[in-house]
Amino acid sequence: MLCFLKSVVKMKPEIELKNVTVGYLTETVIRELSLTIGKGGLVGIFGPNGAGKTTLLCAVNGLAVQTGGSVFIRGRELNRYSGIKLRKSIGFVPQHFDIDPRLPISAREVILMGRYGKMGLFRFAGRTERKLLEGLSEMFGISHVIHKPFGQLSGGEKKRVLIARALIKEPSIMLLDEIFAWLDKEMGEKLLGIIKRIHHDWQLTTLIVSHDLKMIENVCGTVIWIQKGEVIFNGKKSEFLERVNE
Amino acid sequence: MSELMELFQYSFLQRALIACLLAGIACGVVGAWIVVMKISFIGVAVSHAAFAGGLLALLIGQPVVLISFLFSLIACAVLGPISDRGQLHPETSIGILFSSTLGLAFLFMGMLPEGRSQGLNLLWGSVLTVSTGDVSLLALTAAIVILITILFYKELQSVIFNRELARAAGIAAAPFFYLLLFLTGATVSTTLKSVGGLLVFAFIINPAASAYQITFSLKKMYGLSVLFAVVSGWLGILAASLFNVPAGASIVLVSSLIFTLSAIFSPKRKLNEKQE
């Protein structure tokens, strides 16, 4: 009996979307979208600009205005109340992040903020947080800038700080939105290596949004292809590449 | 100098200086939130709503602080969701609320039975006539603002940095945003009598905007904002006592002078120029 229950628990997908519709004001961006993503997957979300890729990521962590359907994280429905708890295990790196360069907040503080939700109320950053901060700063090569104001960092440095911020809470799901955009080739490749390593070592379920076919080819095992808010392909990378080449 | 020392003997002046210290603490901290979040429009609307509420209180014979606090809460309850959901451009919503509250304020002022002097007192403020009860209320507001800032420092920092990212990090961003608005309303209402309905918002914004020009650290910004607010208050009172001019106006003019100096000597000036 116990074995059966264990197998049922194991079978639960990490992320499940059932007939999800998301819209902003009068526009519907994704329409009755359903898909499941298993634990530990490295999934590329591919599609042209305006296809609904970013909206899909926002639906997965409950930041989008969902007008229909349900999102389940490890079998638990994501809603207004469960969202706060579930988001503590979901790392999110946004595509655009414009910020005033005069803002009185350092890169170090921005990274630590990523863990504040998980730490809970009335707790302050201690040894664990400092250790994680040091490790991530070293891993992303940003140790020399963490005391600088966040707004004054270069685009690439900001991106690395935001990825470190998403990882400091030790998430089980990672949502990355066009993280290779604005980066030079060398930095892009370096970041790609780190993402692959973290995905492997931490057994993270990772969703990467990109419109760059080469990046999808290099990184992802599975691809979800979206057009006009609808999934037109969901399967292995090899099959995806065949379909694209047709 | 001896004239100045003589002035300090008066209990009304001592009370006024203490009131400015306490109002400076509350306004300095609240101002830092508003300036960093760039939601000045909410603060303007809240302070005008509080002013209208204060005038209604005079009209119906109820406590000014209570009714102005209720009005400022209503303003927060209307503007908060609009700002949160981005349904309307902030300038549109502030325009509507600002004109409505100002219209109400002038309506209530016109209806005041004992002429308009009471209403004008509330408009310009009268820090030199604050009572011990007013000072106690300011002390309570300052204590609550400080306590909440310390207890929820990391949550508030996350929310003022970016509400969307705070939500993504698993923080209940909306309740904390409303807590900020609630405390802004409370601070505006309790400071209304001292600084005046027309100037209270400048007392909140100017010191914080001056601190923003100078530091890249949020903790230092809190400290400098409070310091500038208190110094503006004290110098404003002294100027008012010595030259027999309205205290509220003097306070705000001193805070504007501090802002001008901060902007001139700001280490962020190059960044400001780059942005323009």
Side-chain angles (χ1 to χ4, degrees):
Chain A
M1 183 66 180
L2 195 66
C3 283
F4 171 73
L5 281 173
K6 272 184 182 172
S7 66
V8 168
V9 172
K10 261 188 183 173
M11 277 164 64
K12 269 183 191 169
E14 188 80 342
I15 301 164
E16 187 175 12
L17 274 71
K18 281 185 184 169
N19 302 318
V20 170
T21 300
V22 179
Y24 300 103
L25 297 173
T26 54
E27 193 190 353
T28 302
V29 185
I30 54 178
R31 233 171 265 103
E32 295 191 359
L33 192 145
S34 298
L35 57 90
T36 55
I37 295 163
K39 184 169 170 50
L42 182 46
V43 183
I45 300 172
F46 177 78
N49 288 335
K53 305 187 294 293
T54 298
T55 306
L56 173 60
L57 275 199
C58 291
V60 170
N61 68 359
L63 293 181
V65 184
Q66 203 177 309
T67 52
S70 308
V71 177
F72 296 89
I73 305 292
R74 291 181 295 278
R76 194 169 166 200
E77 188 172 0
L78 187 80
N79 55 39
R80 204 172 163 185
Y81 306 100
S82 66
I84 293 168
K85 193 174 179 190
L86 290 172
R87 275 192 286 271
K88 288 174 187 174
S89 63
I90 304 173
F92 173 64
V93 182
Q95 179 183 4
H96 295 295
F97 196 70
D98 292 328
I99 198 151
D100 185 349
R102 295 165 297 180
L103 198 79
I105 290 177
S106 69
R108 181 184 182 277
E109 289 170 310
V110 172
I111 297 173
L112 282 171
M113 276 180 217
R115 200 172 167 84
Y116 287 168
K118 190 169 187 172
M119 284 163 64
L121 297 173
F122 313 118
R123 273 206 61 220
F124 293 92
R127 195 183 290 171
T128 313
E129 285 73 30
R130 278 198 296 274
K131 259 190 166 178
L132 281 163
L133 176 75
E134 273 171 32
L136 287 165
S137 307
E138 220 167 274
M139 184 189 285
F140 286 98
I142 47 174
S143 305
H144 62 295
V145 295
I146 59 166
H147 293 290
K148 280 189 178 175
F150 176 72
Q152 287 185 31
L153 304 186
S154 70
E157 287 167 341
K158 273 186 199 153
K159 202 142 262 186
R160 282 181 280 161
V161 166
L162 290 175
I163 299 172
R165 174 194 161 108
L167 285 169
I168 200 169
K169 64 168 126 170
E170 301 170 287
S172 59
I173 296 171
M174 191 70 171
L175 309 174
L176 306 166
D177 193 359
E178 298 278 11
I179 53 162
F180 301 103
W182 313 94
L183 296 180
D184 57 46
K185 201 182 165 195
E186 194 188 339
M187 182 48 66
E189 279 170 6
K190 200 175 166 187
L191 206 56
L192 192 71
I194 298 172
I195 297 292
K196 277 182 177 173
R197 204 173 85 204
I198 291 170
H199 167 74
H200 180 264
D201 294 350
W202 295 22
Q203 284 294 298
L204 275 175
T205 306
T206 310
L207 270 70
I208 304 180
V209 159
S210 182
H211 62 267
D212 181 354
L213 198 61
K214 206 176 169 196
M215 200 285 296
I216 297 273
E217 199 177 336
N218 281 337
V219 188
C220 308
T222 313
V223 182
I224 296 167
W225 186 357
I226 302 184
Q227 255 178 13
K228 292 178 185 168
E230 283 173 19
V231 174
I232 58 164
F233 176 87
N234 182 4
K236 286 181 182 167
K237 180 173 70 182
S238 53
E239 292 167 17
F240 165 74
L241 292 172
E242 271 175 30
R243 177 125 176 226
V244 170
N245 290 329
E246 274 170 15
Chain B
M1 191 66 186
S2 60
E3 197 184 336
L4 196 68
M5 293 313 289
E6 220 171 89
L7 272 175
F8 284 117
Q9 307 296 319
Y10 294 109
S11 59
F12 76 88
L13 192 73
Q14 289 166 2
R15 266 201 308 276
L17 292 173
I18 295 170
C20 271
L21 171 72
L22 298 167
I25 292 170
C27 290
V29 174
V30 165
W33 298 334
I34 289 176
V35 167
V36 174
M37 289 179 87
K38 298 189 193 306
I39 52 163
S40 307
F41 63 93
I42 288 185
V44 172
V46 169
S47 51
H48 282 87
F51 176 53
L55 288 167
L56 178 66
L58 291 177
L59 188 66
I60 60 173
Q62 293 298 318
V64 168
V65 173
L66 182 71
I67 307 293
S68 63
F69 183 49
L70 281 177
F71 265 63
S72 61
L73 282 189
I74 293 167
C76 292
V78 173
L79 283 172
I82 291 171
S83 155
D84 219 15
R85 292 174 199 154
Q87 287 167 330
L88 269 176
H89 195 280
E91 281 174 18
T92 313
S93 46
I94 179 95
I96 295 164
L97 199 82
F98 176 82
S99 51
S100 312
T101 50
L102 209 59
L104 274 179
F106 285 116
L107 179 74
F108 296 147
M109 197 184 275
M111 288 164 72
L112 278 175
E114 294 171 24
R116 288 168 194 171
S117 62
Q118 268 184 307
L120 286 173
N121 264 346
L122 209 58
L123 186 68
W124 296 112
S126 49
V127 71
L128 295 171
T129 61
V130 288
S131 65
T132 314
D134 296 329
V135 173
S136 307
L137 202 61
L138 279 171
L140 182 69
T141 309
I144 291 171
V145 168
I146 292 286
L147 190 70
I148 285 177
T149 308
I150 292 169
L151 282 179
F152 302 115
Y153 183 84
K154 61 185 202 305
E155 287 80 12
L156 295 176
Q157 187 192 37
S158 297
V159 169
I160 65 174
F161 173 64
N162 186 286
R163 268 181 277 164
E164 200 70 356
L165 281 186
R167 275 184 74 200
I171 288 171
F176 281 106
F177 178 61
Y178 284 101
L179 179 67
L180 294 181
L181 295 184
F182 171 81
L183 289 173
T184 305
T187 303
V188 166
S189 314
T190 47
T191 320
L192 194 67
K193 197 177 169 191
S194 326
V195 187
L198 206 61
L199 305 173
V200 63
F201 190 65
F203 194 47
I204 287 178
I205 284 294
N206 292 359
S210 310
Y212 193 75
Q213 298 298 320
I214 290 174
T215 181
F216 282 106
S217 151
L218 186 65
K219 281 179 188 161
K220 282 182 190 165
M221 186 175 164
Y222 279 133
L224 283 171
S225 181
V226 167
L227 178 75
F228 291 152
V230 173
V231 168
S232 306
W234 284 351
L235 290 180
I237 285 178
L238 288 181
S241 310
L242 289 173
F243 306 115
N244 198 22
V245 288
S250 316
I251 290 170
V252 172
L253 285 176
V254 174
S255 73
S256 302
L257 182 68
I258 292 175
F259 175 77
T260 310
L261 292 173
S262 312
I264 291 170
F265 297 106
S266 168
K268 301 181 181 180
R269 212 171 153 197
K270 277 183 186 166
L271 291 170
N272 294 349
E273 283 162 8
K274 225 184 253 179
Q275 265 211 331
E276 280 153 19

